[in-house]
Amino acid sequence: MRPPLSGGLPAMDAAVLLLYLIAVLWVGLRAGKRPKTVEQFALGGHKMPWWAVLGSLIAAETSAAFFLGTPAEGYALGNYEYLQLSLGTVLARVLVAYLFVKPYFTYRVTSIYQFLDLRFGPKTKSAASATFLLTRLLASGARLYVASILPVLAVKLLWGGGVSAGQELSIYTASALLLTLFTTLYTVAGGIRAVIWTDLLQAGLMLSGGLLTLLLLFQKIPWGSSSPLTEAAHLLAALPWAETGIDPHRNLWENLGFVLSSDYTIWAALIGSTFITMATHGADQDLVQRLLTAKNHHRSRLSLILSGLTDVPLVFLFLTIGIFLGLLARSTSDPRLPAQANEVFPYFILCQTPPGVRGLLVAAIFATAMGSLSAALNALATSFCEDWAFRFLPVASDEKARVRLLRGSTVLFALLSVAIACATAFFALHSPKSRILPIVLGLFGYTYGPLLGVFLLGVLTRSRGSDLGNCLAMSCGLAVVALLSGAPQALLGLVSPAEAGRLAWFPSVSFPWRVFVGSISTFLVGLCFRSSARLYPAAEA
């Protein structure tokens, strides 16, 4: 099929995309109401309705990595295996709602790492805050790269594929800069209120785009004697929901090694995924900051639990898109179809959707990118200022000076995110077989395990863990994850492939298990230390 971009982006698509950008700017600038205090900028004055917080959580969870990465998983695997990981996300949200949310409200923290300062001391707070800042910055840059895939693919189609690696990297950079510019404008001006209200718009656009894509696929696939519902039901029935990865012919350690090295088993769904979501929704300033904008912890809990109930159908929707894209690819044998799974959904949007609809889907991808980026920038600025920068302001500094510093920090992290997006693009260009979700989740896996472990130590114990001991525990957790994630083999492989081969026996864990391993290691090491426990969150919760 000849791509409909040979004459450039149709005027109708450009108009839809421009209308979306104008609408987001208008909503963000108008809803923000120019916050004058740190509490208004970072927490919206604790006046956000629970349903707005719910919409913002959905928008945060459906980033560009989700919008494009989940169909890529469905396309690459051809089944619903990834859906199993959604089971743990529901359980995790209930645990977070009743373990973490009330203490954060009780002690009126702006940055959740202030809670660790109250519980343990400044060293623990600084270590956790630094971990969040580094990890969230890396993940935000990776997500920004994902959103830039579509413009790059569009240029390839326009130029007949004759794009050098250097030119491709330049397009990634220009796309990341454009998206970041629009996002930073309303985030700097309106703070968290602008983030949440624009997230509502973006969540609606994302959902509409997914449903519209599925409808188009229904129409394009030559089903024959089958049907879309029959095909989906067949794949779900064939899914090994009770796949344990346990073989009676292997011994205990062999079975354990196989389970921990497998991406999708029932154990990864119920344990690994639960710990991932506990980390992202309980120990990550980005998502928790949205929860803290609610009027009280009861409404915050409601938003959080309901967001979990929407996660499973959303994952199912976008996995179905990927699976049906595979069916369409096999039935049409399009020679222009990209080899990379990451680019198949963007290719379908650009080449096989009618004008107007194409513009809406492109806007939906931009919406997912801008929604996750705006919240990340606000959370990064809040954590950086509350945990680090405000201490260097003069004692007599007023709220205006603090808000100015928050806005300046937002711009700084926007620029850093663009730089990391470019670095991620460079990596992807030299690793064409890489998949989106393992990259993004892999970033969390290394550092969010230790981060979750120290928070669990704070809310589940009354006097265990110490300020200095927690720093040691987090270091041990990070080291264990690195050792069990193939780092020794990778380092030796740079020196000598033969040396790396000698460590083939060394145990390795897949990305759904890294947070679990890191948090348990951190928690167990932290238990070895005793603190004076300046407050008792376990009793308060």
Side-chain angles (χ1 to χ4, degrees):
M1 180 181 295
R2 184 179 65 87
L5 294 175
S6 56
L9 188 68
M12 186 181 297
D13 296 332
V16 170
L17 185 57
L18 182 62
L19 182 63
Y20 158 72
L21 293 174
I22 293 173
V24 168
L25 275 178
W26 183 82
V27 170
L29 295 174
R30 187 172 181 82
K33 295 182 180 179
R34 195 72 180 176
K36 296 180 174 61
T37 66
V38 171
E39 186 181 55
Q40 291 174 355
F41 187 92
L43 302 178
H46 295 290
K47 294 181 179 179
M48 301 303 298
W50 69 267
W51 50 268
V53 177
L54 171 61
S56 184
L57 288 174
I58 294 172
E61 293 157 359
T62 51
S63 64
F66 177 92
F67 194 92
L68 297 179
T70 307
E73 288 292 294
Y75 178 84
L77 301 174
N79 56 44
Y80 287 100
E81 284 187 350
Y82 182 75
L83 183 62
Q84 296 176 96
L85 296 187
S86 300
L87 300 178
T89 68
V90 180
L91 173 61
R93 284 173 172 88
V94 176
L95 293 174
V96 170
Y98 286 94
L99 281 178
F100 295 103
V101 172
K102 186 177 179 181
Y104 294 155
F105 273 89
T106 300
Y107 301 107
R108 301 189 63 83
V109 297
T110 302
S111 164
I112 60 173
Y113 310 108
Q114 294 171 329
F115 166 79
L116 296 178
D117 188 9
L118 296 170
R119 173 65 174 83
F120 297 112
K123 293 184 179 66
T124 303
K125 180 199 75 170
S126 296
S129 177
T131 300
F132 161 73
L133 290 172
L134 177 62
T135 308
R136 174 52 62 187
L137 188 57
L138 291 173
S140 297
R143 289 173 171 178
L144 190 56
Y145 147 74
V146 172
S148 302
I149 291 176
L150 194 70
V152 170
L153 186 58
V155 172
K156 284 182 178 179
L157 294 172
L158 282 170
W159 293 356
V163 180
S164 68
Q167 291 171 326
E168 197 167 333
L169 187 59
S170 299
I171 301 167
Y172 275 118
T173 303
S175 302
L177 281 170
L178 179 64
L179 281 173
T180 305
L181 174 63
F182 276 94
T183 306
T184 305
L185 281 175
Y186 67 79
T187 306
V188 167
I192 193 68
R193 286 180 58 87
V195 169
I196 288 178
W197 289 118
T198 54
D199 277 353
L200 277 176
L201 172 65
Q202 290 155 348
L205 187 59
M206 175 277 305
L207 181 59
S208 302
L211 292 173
L212 189 57
T213 301
L214 200 60
L215 179 62
L216 289 172
L217 286 168
F218 283 170
Q219 296 174 343
K220 287 182 175 293
I221 296 174
W223 294 103
S225 59
S226 182
S227 70
L229 294 179
T230 303
E231 186 68 29
H234 172 72
L235 289 171
L236 282 173
L239 181 63
W241 292 100
E243 175 59 55
T244 62
I246 297 175
D247 186 339
H249 300 293
R250 294 192 296 254
N251 61 40
L252 174 64
W253 293 111
E254 289 174 339
N255 276 316
L256 182 62
F258 182 83
V259 167
L260 293 178
S261 62
S262 301
D263 287 350
Y264 307 120
T265 64
I266 192 64
W267 307 113
L270 296 178
I271 301 174
S273 181
T274 297
F275 275 77
I276 290 174
T277 307
M278 286 179 67
T280 57
H281 289 64
D284 184 316
Q285 176 71 19
D286 186 358
L287 282 166
V288 176
Q289 189 168 333
R290 301 163 193 251
L291 295 173
L292 296 180
T293 63
K295 295 179 180 180
N296 53 55
H297 72 274
H298 297 291
R299 299 189 182 188
S300 181
R301 283 174 175 170
L302 177 63
S303 301
L304 180 58
I305 294 174
L306 287 179
S307 73
L309 298 178
T310 64
D311 191 54
V312 175
L314 277 175
V315 173
F316 176 79
L317 169 64
F318 283 90
L319 278 177
T320 303
I321 289 173
I323 291 170
F324 286 179
L325 282 171
L327 295 177
L328 181 62
R330 290 192 293 273
S331 64
T332 57
S333 302
D334 188 350
R336 300 177 64 92
L337 191 72
Q340 294 187 46
N342 296 345
E343 295 184 351
V344 173
F345 187 26
Y347 173 81
F348 172 80
I349 293 172
L350 291 171
C351 297
Q352 300 192 30
T353 55
V357 174
R358 185 187 307 115
L360 181 66
L361 293 176
V362 172
I365 294 175
F366 283 5
T368 58
M370 294 171 70
S372 59
L373 180 61
S374 62
L377 294 178
N378 189 268
L380 286 164
T382 300
S383 180
F384 174 71
C385 290
E386 288 285 353
D387 300 332
W388 302 90
F390 282 167
R391 72 179 72 170
F392 298 107
L393 286 176
V395 178
S397 298
D398 57 7
E399 285 291 309
K400 290 183 179 180
R402 291 172 176 263
V403 172
R404 280 197 301 270
L405 185 55
L406 276 168
R407 291 195 169 103
S409 300
T410 303
V411 174
L412 171 64
F413 284 111
L415 295 174
L416 291 174
S417 296
V418 172
I420 292 170
C422 296
T424 307
F426 181 83
F427 167 77
L429 288 173
H430 290 80
S431 303
K433 293 185 178 180
S434 59
R435 304 200 320 264
I436 294 173
L437 288 179
I439 291 176
V440 176
L441 294 179
L443 290 173
F444 286 113
Y446 283 97
T447 56
Y448 270 37
L451 193 60
L452 175 62
V454 77
F455 270 98
L456 288 174
L457 196 65
V459 298
L460 294 180
T461 69
R462 296 172 66 92
S463 59
R464 308 309 301 183
S466 68
D467 198 19
L468 187 59
N470 290 340
C471 297
L472 176 61
M474 292 179 69
S475 300
C476 290
L478 180 60
V480 170
V481 174
L483 285 173
L484 296 181
S485 299
Q489 295 92 317
L491 291 175
L492 285 176
L494 294 175
V495 179
S496 169
E499 290 293 330
R502 294 178 184 176
L503 285 180
W505 58 270
F506 199 79
S508 178
V509 298
S510 61
F511 74 89
W513 288 102
R514 291 174 187 169
V515 172
F516 168 78
V517 169
S519 59
I520 294 299
S521 301
T522 301
F523 185 82
L524 292 177
V525 174
L527 285 177
C528 299
F529 300 90
R530 189 174 184 85
S531 69
S532 58
R534 292 182 286 177
L535 53 85
Y536 300 100
E540 294 289 345

